[in-house]
Amino acid sequence: MTLDEMISKTDKRKAGFTLMMEHLDKFENPFIVETGSIRPESTYEGDGMSTLIFDTYANQKGGKVFSVDIDPINSSFARQQTTMTNVITGDSVKTLYDMQKHWVTDDETIHLLYLDSYDFDIKNPHPSSLHHLMELTAVMPALKPGYTMIVVDDNFLASNDGGKTVFEIGKGQYVKEFMDLINKQRIYAGYQWVWKL
């Protein structure tokens, strides 16, 4: 399956993935960092299949992918499904914190940071939202203005009859609050929320 065919199957994530691919195309051999690897039960429509999409991108256009998942079943499955992805089993916050030291020392540029590790519960949004903010904090020293795009999956917007957004919630809620405070405007607000440093 081609990259375009894969993205066309992602439904509510299609626009977000399209933005990501356009961003990555600006760089030679881009580096993609992902939290939350593909799961055996994943589907394009339900989960996005980001690990496969990123691995296919690296295969077709160059680059490399780093993916971390706390569940060894997911990690094992992701390794079996990919060829260009370094899949690590571990807590994403600790792993990103440890890895960013090496990436900074080696002058590695993260072109895309995709945060999607901790399942979101709309009845209890705090744990997931906080976890994704901690992931961003852990890897922040390795991110570079002008190069890094940050994406958080699984967000929800509600609007009134006039089309004005009146309610936002999701994995990216606290990331958005942080980005607002440092004057980094969100450039896309669909199911995936997107920023550029």
Side-chain angles (χ1 to χ4, degrees), residues 84-150:
M84 303 293 287
T85 303
N86 179 14
V87 182
I88 300 293
T89 304
D91 175 79
S92 57
V93 175
K94 172 89 166 61
T95 300
L96 289 177
Y97 180 74
D98 291 342
M99 291 303 301
Q100 61 85 19
K101 298 173 191 175
H102 300 287
W103 295 332
V104 169
T105 299
D106 296 341
D107 198 29
E108 291 265 18
T109 299
I110 298 173
H111 297 93
L112 175 62
L113 176 66
Y114 190 80
L115 305 178
D116 186 24
S117 61
Y118 195 119
D119 286 344
F120 182 74
D121 180 356
I122 201 162
K123 294 178 182 177
N124 185 22
H126 172 75
S128 178
S129 296
L130 179 61
H131 186 82
H132 292 89
L133 176 61
M134 289 193 293
E135 289 178 340
L136 176 61
T137 303
V139 76
M140 199 78 180
L143 307 184
K144 294 184 181 178
Y147 293 90
T148 304
M149 174 179 276
I150 298 164

Side-chain angles (χ1 to χ4, degrees), residues 11-65:
D11 192 34
K12 56 188 174 267
R13 295 178 177 88
K14 182 179 176 183
F17 277 124
T18 300
L19 272 178
M20 288 178 247
M21 299 305 111
E22 290 171 355
H23 172 74
L24 293 172
D25 282 345
K26 297 174 184 174
F27 306 101
E28 186 174 344
N29 296 317
F31 182 29
I32 302 165
V33 174
E34 169 195 63
T35 66
S37 304
I38 187 175
R39 298 180 280 200
E41 68 274 15
S42 293
T43 65
Y44 285 100
E45 295 81 4
D47 305 287
M49 305 283 273
S50 56
T51 309
L52 280 189
I53 289 172
F54 298 148
D55 190 78
T56 300
Y57 182 95
N59 264 296
Q60 293 182 4
K61 300 191 176 186
K64 61 182 180 177
V65 184

Side-chain angles (χ1 to χ4, degrees), residues 132-177:
H132 292 89
L133 176 61
M134 289 193 293
E135 289 178 340
L136 176 61
T137 303
V139 76
M140 199 78 180
L143 307 184
K144 294 184 181 178
Y147 293 90
T148 304
M149 174 179 276
I150 298 164
V151 181
V152 186
D153 196 29
D154 298 311
N155 300 284
F156 306 89
L157 303 174
S159 58
N160 60 22
D161 289 339
K164 182 177 179 179
T165 298
V166 294
F167 179 74
E168 298 183 337
I169 196 168
K171 290 181 179 179
Q173 184 175 353
Y174 295 162
V175 170
K176 180 185 182 300
E177 291 178 23

Side-chain angles (χ1 to χ4, degrees), residues 70-82:
I70 200 166
D71 188 329
I73 294 173
N74 296 343
S75 299
S76 176
F77 182 72
R79 287 186 199 101
Q80 294 168 23
Q81 301 298 312
T82 59

